[in-house]
Structures are given as structure tokens and as C-alpha cells.
Amino acid sequence: LQLRLQRGESSHGARSFAALQAELEQALLGLDATRADAVLGEAFALFSVEDVCLQVIEPLLVAVGDRWHAGEISVAEEHYVSSFMRSKLYALLGAYQAPDGRGKLVLAACAPAEWHEVGILLVSIFLARRGYAVRYLGPNLPVEGLADMVAQHHPAVVLVSAQSRE
């Protein structure tokens, strides 16, 4: 057990979330998209989508943001990691969308001037996996645009993400 834990494995033999996150971070900061894809593939093979999102991807993005704030990595590196992960999350959302649009309609978006979209993307993926017809409207959505969509489509739920009071 001690040797497995030192290698980044859990007590069940599978690699831990922390080990996967660390390897994914290293691959992305090294601009090694092939290795990053392999690590993500391993994570999704071992764990549920929700666990990978909440225990690998989200902590990775927080750690990379913290490293950028601390001056340990450049803004370009932080942007690459974020862009890579957003593209994977968009792909997951697309994969879980029912093509026929069945399920209760959920509109999801970021508030005006809100560009941090990972949280709402994660929630959108989780809802789509449970059969909701999630339509993600993107970051920085003007209130008028959202109001028009609500009036036209009458969703069951509207989700708006904002990270600041403004």
C-alpha cells in the first residue's frame, strides 16, 4: 500500500485524483496535448465524469490560476491550460446533449461581464448527463438577450453564473 501511494495510486490500485491532476498540469504546462489527452482518458476510464470534473479538472484550474497569481507561470500558460480544458468541457457537453432535444429545457449562461465559464459548464454537463436539454449560451450574456430567449422558449430552468456581486 505504501508503495502504491508513493506512485500516486489509491488504496484500490487506481491512480489518485491528485496524481492525475499533477500529471495533467505537467503535461499542459509542457504544451503536451497528446499526454494531456491520455491522462484525461485514463481519468475518465477510472472515475465518473462528475468525479473527474470535480476532483481533477476543477482543482487543476484553481491551482493553475493560483500559480499565475503568484507569478509562477505566465498568463500565456494559464490561458493555454484554461483553453484546453474548456474545449474538453464543451466536447463533453456536446456528447451528452440529446440530439432530439428531449428533456426539460435548461438555459445556462454567464452574467454580463462574466467571463469565467467553467463552473456553469460543469453544471451544464452534469444536467445534460441526467437528461436535461441544456442550452449553454456562453459568457458575458447581456440580460436582454437572455430575457428574449426565456420569452421565446419558456425553459424549465434558467441558470446564470456570476463570480462577483456586480
Side-chain angles (χ1 to χ4, degrees):
L1 176 62
Q2 185 64 26
L3 180 59
R4 277 196 233 151
L5 293 174
Q6 288 173 346
R7 289 191 312 228
E9 296 177 3
S10 73
S11 60
H12 306 322
R15 292 208 301 149
S16 69
F17 294 125
L20 290 163
Q21 176 194 331
E23 188 171 345
L24 182 57
E25 182 176 345
Q26 182 180 18
L28 288 171
L29 291 176
L31 303 181
D32 188 346
T34 301
R35 183 69 195 134
D37 278 333
V39 173
L40 275 176
E42 179 182 355
F44 285 120
L46 293 171
F47 303 106
S48 71
V49 169
E50 289 80 4
D51 281 343
V52 173
C53 287
L54 296 174
Q55 303 297 326
V56 178
I57 295 172
E58 184 180 19
L60 164 75
L61 292 171
V62 170
V64 166
D66 289 347
R67 289 185 69 189
W68 171 73
H69 280 288
E72 296 174 15
I73 63 172
S74 71
V75 68
E77 290 169 310
E78 185 276 333
H79 279 204
Y80 176 72
V81 172
S82 296
S83 176
F84 181 94
M85 293 313 310
R86 267 194 322 275
S87 73
K88 299 304 175 186
L89 295 174
Y90 279 126
L92 276 175
L93 180 59
Y96 288 111
Q97 289 292 325
D100 56 12
R102 283 191 228 156
K104 292 183 179 180
L105 178 62
V106 174
L107 298 180
C110 293
E114 179 60 69
W115 293 96
H116 295 92
E117 62 184 327
V118 171
I120 195 77
L121 276 171
L122 293 176
V123 171
S124 296
I125 291 165
F126 300 163
L127 289 171
R129 279 179 44 86
R130 284 159 182 79
Y132 290 89
V134 180
R135 299 301 177 254
Y136 178 63
L137 306 177
N140 188 33
L141 184 68
V143 173
E144 302 79 27
L146 180 58
D148 291 344
M149 286 288 261
V150 169
Q152 184 177 359
H153 297 284
H154 310 286
V157 177
V158 175
L159 302 173
V160 179
S161 176
Q163 293 189 16
S164 67
R165 287 185 179 162
E166 295 81 23

